[in-house]
Amino acid sequence: MSGITIAIDGFSACGKSTLAKQVAKHYGYIFIDSGAMYRAVTLFALQNGLIENGELNSSHLIDKLNNVKLRFEEKEGYSRIFLNEVDVEDEIRQGEVPNNVSKVATIKEVREKLVEEQRNMASSGGIVMDGRDIGTVVFPDAELKIFVTASKEVRVTRRWKELMDKGIQADIKEVERNLLERDLIDSTRLESPLRKAEDAVVLDNSEMTRQDQLQWVISRVEDVLVSKNLS
Ligand code: CDP
């Protein structure tokens, strides 16, 4: 048995990737950070002069999409994203990428390409993927869908600490501005806006430790496995 599909969606910096990694490790499933894919396409656009003074040249980006090759590789137990064979896992979290990624993610052709790749990566089953449209668009039939939320203060502080821990200097006010701007663009765009799938369960992890949230998800996964006779 190759395992179930677990879709994790939610607003920016609510801990989706941390949770998805924990769950994937626990079950020996594949973890895919779909946000890293949108970030890597944004880095490609920046590297190719397709975003200037915050203006995105969408038609040129669409023309060049065939030149974007993405893949993930496990290194020391962590999944890292490669853009055209270069490890860009750290680069996509800083600089101009966070300021432009939500604009890039509104483009229908970008989404179609990435959704197709996401579905291919999951074809063998046993997958945990986090993002904005995983339960609604990418895997509408996922056996378990989780919509993660946390208070704004918690999200801002978590993201700021995460960046500082990586040695990336960040201004907390700027982190807050970026998260709120992305949340607004992500939830109001026409293509696959961020929303909770009707059959998703809500996890508010504002007051939870990492261990608490893992236990919370494990008990939901176990229910699904029992109901499908997979345990
Ligand atoms: O880590 P954080 O929650 O801040 O963001 P992320 O998951 O790395 O996603 C970065 C951006 O990519 C989001 O703000 C969305 O604009 C876009 N995204 C998307 O549109 N659809 C997804 N499935 C994942 C990310």
Side-chain angles (χ1 to χ4, degrees):
M1 175 57 223
S2 52
I4 62 169
T5 299
I6 303 173
I8 303 183
D9 289 301
F11 290 99
S12 302
C14 59
K16 299 178 301 289
S17 293
T18 304
L19 178 62
K21 275 180 220 163
Q22 289 177 294
V23 176
K25 188 167 175 213
H26 184 85
Y27 286 100
Y29 283 9
I30 294 169
F31 156 64
I32 293 172
D33 174 359
S34 69
M37 300 171 74
Y38 289 92
R39 287 172 182 265
V41 174
T42 306
L43 180 62
F44 174 89
L46 286 162
Q47 287 171 341
N48 286 276
L50 305 176
I51 304 175
E52 275 174 341
N53 304 322
E55 283 295 311
L56 167 66
N57 188 333
S58 312
S59 56
H60 279 181
L61 177 58
I62 293 165
D63 288 345
K64 286 183 184 268
L65 273 180
N66 281 339
N67 302 336
V68 177
K69 302 273 180 270
L70 302 176
R71 70 178 175 86
F72 288 95
E73 191 177 303
E74 284 275 314
K75 272 194 186 169
E76 291 156 11
Y78 292 99
S79 161
R80 301 183 67 87
I81 192 161
F82 283 65
L83 165 63
N84 294 334
E85 296 310 318
V86 177
D87 180 341
V88 294
E89 181 64 33
D90 297 325
E91 214 176 334
I92 58 168
R93 316 273 162 203
Q94 50 188 307
E96 279 306 300
V97 174
N99 286 332
N100 290 288
V101 61
S102 288
K103 245 176 281 170
V104 169
T106 61
I107 302 174
K108 182 165 143 271
E109 289 79 358
V110 170
R111 304 203 69 84
E112 283 169 353
K113 173 186 168 76
L114 298 190
V115 168
E116 188 186 343
E117 292 182 13
Q118 288 153 9
R119 289 186 181 142
N120 288 340
M121 289 176 196
S123 54
S124 56
I127 185 118
V128 190
M129 191 177 293
D130 79 295
R132 304 292 185 290
D133 59 344
I134 312 303
T136 51
V137 174
V138 184
F139 300 125
D141 298 328
E143 285 88 350
L144 179 62
K145 299 180 186 177
I146 300 168
F147 191 84
V148 188
T149 66
S151 72
K152 184 187 85 182
E153 291 70 25
V154 167
R155 294 192 290 127
V156 171
T157 312
R158 278 186 190 153
R159 177 50 47 88
W160 179 75
K161 280 199 180 133
E162 192 184 331
L163 291 169
M164 298 299 274
D165 285 348
K166 285 185 180 163
I168 302 170
Q169 288 302 316
D171 173 41
I172 196 155
K173 281 277 158 225
E174 175 54 25
V175 170
E176 176 175 334
R177 190 204 57 74
N178 178 253
L179 294 190
L180 297 183
E181 180 183 77
R182 282 196 289 123
D183 285 350
L184 181 67
I185 300 176
D186 293 346
S187 50
T188 55
R189 69 185 176 214
L190 291 176
E191 293 297 327
S192 313
L194 166 64
R195 61 179 176 77
K196 177 186 146 330
E198 267 173 30
D199 51 350
V201 283
V202 176
L203 166 64
D204 183 338
N205 67 10
S206 307
E207 307 286 328
M208 285 184 176
T209 64
R210 287 179 183 213
Q211 196 49 34
D212 292 340
Q213 66 172 8
L214 177 60
Q215 283 312 321
W216 189 97
V217 176
I218 288 174
S219 65
R220 259 94 201 149
V221 175
E222 295 305 317
D223 289 347
V224 172
L225 294 176
V226 167
S227 74
K228 298 201 171 288
N229 277 330
L230 296 174
S231 59

